[in-house]
């Protein structure tokens, strides 16, 4: 997906809970404003994130689940450079201070207790989604080339690292295309730097129009 495109879409919230009734309740409360997807286990959530080109803007993560609890899911997300900045709100019936403290220590940004107070859930989700999107905008502007508006070397390094790890996990191929603009120096010397800048912008636009959003 292009660097700015996803910010124009409703935020993507991933709900992870092994109880279908909780998923239904949260999805109904959040779907009018957000794109909501769900997973019913920790491993399934990690697989869904790894196999999807688009990362969640926010994760609502149940603490007590079989196979893998929410704390371990969060710990694994925070260990991966591609997912460590996704805000995680823990959801639990346990309201002990020690449980909440552990949630913050492993990387959570908030902690919601059950039974749900839906207006409070929506308010907390809205706050963290807004913070995440502001951060994404600043980060993505830092990843754009000022002349052409396409991703710069810094962004290339980040994406390559993310795609390399995903290809390793999933066993899928990874391809990189290197493109050279022939005789550009001669063109620039003959027609001047403003014309050269215009040419580079048109080349970048042509390339961008030929690739898929996931490239």
């Amino acid at each position: 997906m292009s660097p700015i495109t996803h910010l124009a879409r409703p935020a993507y919230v991933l709900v992870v809970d092994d109880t279908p009734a909780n998923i239904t309740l949260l999805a109904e409360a959040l779907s009018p404003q957000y794109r909501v997807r769900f997973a019913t286990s920790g491993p399934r959530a990690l697989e869904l994130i790894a196999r999807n080109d688009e990362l969640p803007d926010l994760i609502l993560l149940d603490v007590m689940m079989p196979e893998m609890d929410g704390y371990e899911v969060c710990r694994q997300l925070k260990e991966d450079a591609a997912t460590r900045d996704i805000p995680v709100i823990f959801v639990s019936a346990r309201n002990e201070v020690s449980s909440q403290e552990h949630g913050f220590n492993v990387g959570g940004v908030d902690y919601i207790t059950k039974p749900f107070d839906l207006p409070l859930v929506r308010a907390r989700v809205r706050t963290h989604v807004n913070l995440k999107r502001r951060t994404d905008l600043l980060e993505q502007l830092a990843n754009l080339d000022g002349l052409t508006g396409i991703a710069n070397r810094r962004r290339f390094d980040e994406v390559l690292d993310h795609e390399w790890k995903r290809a390793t996990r999933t066993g899928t191929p990874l391809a990189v295309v290197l493109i050279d603009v022939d005789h550009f120096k001669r063109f620039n010397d003959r027609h001047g730097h403003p014309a050269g800048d215009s040419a580079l912008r048109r080349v970048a636009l042509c390339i961008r129009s030929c690739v898929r959003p996931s490239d």
Side-chain angles (χ1 to χ4, degrees):
M1 181 169 296
S2 63
I4 300 297
T5 300
H6 89 277
L7 294 178
R9 306 174 64 189
Y12 162 26
V13 176
L14 176 63
V15 177
V16 186
D17 198 306
D18 64 317
T19 304
N22 290 336
I23 290 176
T24 300
L25 187 63
L26 291 171
E28 289 178 350
L30 299 174
S31 58
Q33 289 182 281
Y34 309 105
R35 291 175 293 128
V36 180
R37 301 185 70 177
F38 68 89
T40 54
S41 71
R44 174 58 184 153
L46 294 173
E47 179 186 7
L48 182 64
I49 293 169
R51 291 183 175 275
N52 200 318
D53 289 325
E54 183 182 12
L55 295 176
D57 291 291
L58 177 74
I59 300 174
L60 285 170
L61 181 58
D62 188 26
V63 171
M64 305 303 295
M65 294 184 292
E67 297 184 71
M68 181 186 297
D69 67 24
Y71 297 134
E72 176 60 19
V73 175
C74 185
R75 187 189 66 78
Q76 292 194 29
L77 290 171
K78 299 305 174 182
E79 285 185 346
D80 189 336
T83 56
R84 67 166 59 118
D85 293 329
I86 302 172
V88 174
I89 298 179
F90 284 110
V91 177
S92 178
R94 301 176 61 181
N95 60 2
E96 300 93 340
V97 171
S98 59
S99 298
Q100 297 183 43
E101 180 185 15
H102 187 48
F104 290 118
N105 286 339
V106 297
V109 298
D110 210 337
Y111 196 102
I112 296 174
T113 56
K114 302 175 184 178
F116 299 120
D117 183 335
L118 292 179
L120 184 60
V121 171
R122 284 191 288 263
R124 288 183 167 180
V125 167
R126 181 172 62 251
T127 295
H128 291 293
V129 164
N130 288 342
L131 287 172
K132 176 64 163 56
R133 291 221 147 174
R134 290 192 189 102
T135 301
D136 284 351
L137 179 60
L138 292 174
E139 180 73 16
Q140 291 171 356
L141 289 174
N143 286 330
L144 292 179
D145 174 68
L147 174 64
T148 61
I150 62 174
N152 58 21
R153 171 62 185 271
R154 179 172 180 265
R155 178 61 177 165
F156 171 80
D157 290 341
E158 291 175 352
V159 171
L160 180 61
D161 179 67
H162 172 62
E163 294 298 332
W164 182 269
K165 289 177 180 176
R166 177 161 56 179
T168 302
R169 287 193 302 266
T170 62
T172 53
L174 175 66
V176 178
V177 178
L178 178 65
I179 299 173
D180 183 36
V181 181
D182 290 339
H183 312 300
F184 178 71
K185 184 179 185 305
R186 283 163 48 188
F187 177 88
N188 211 35
D189 290 344
R190 180 173 180 178
H191 298 285
H193 291 289
D197 289 350
S198 177
L200 289 178
R201 283 192 289 266
R202 293 182 67 180
V203 169
L205 180 63
C206 181
I207 295 171
R208 188 165 51 192
S209 68
C210 295
V211 298
R212 299 165 301 180
S214 59
D215 288 338

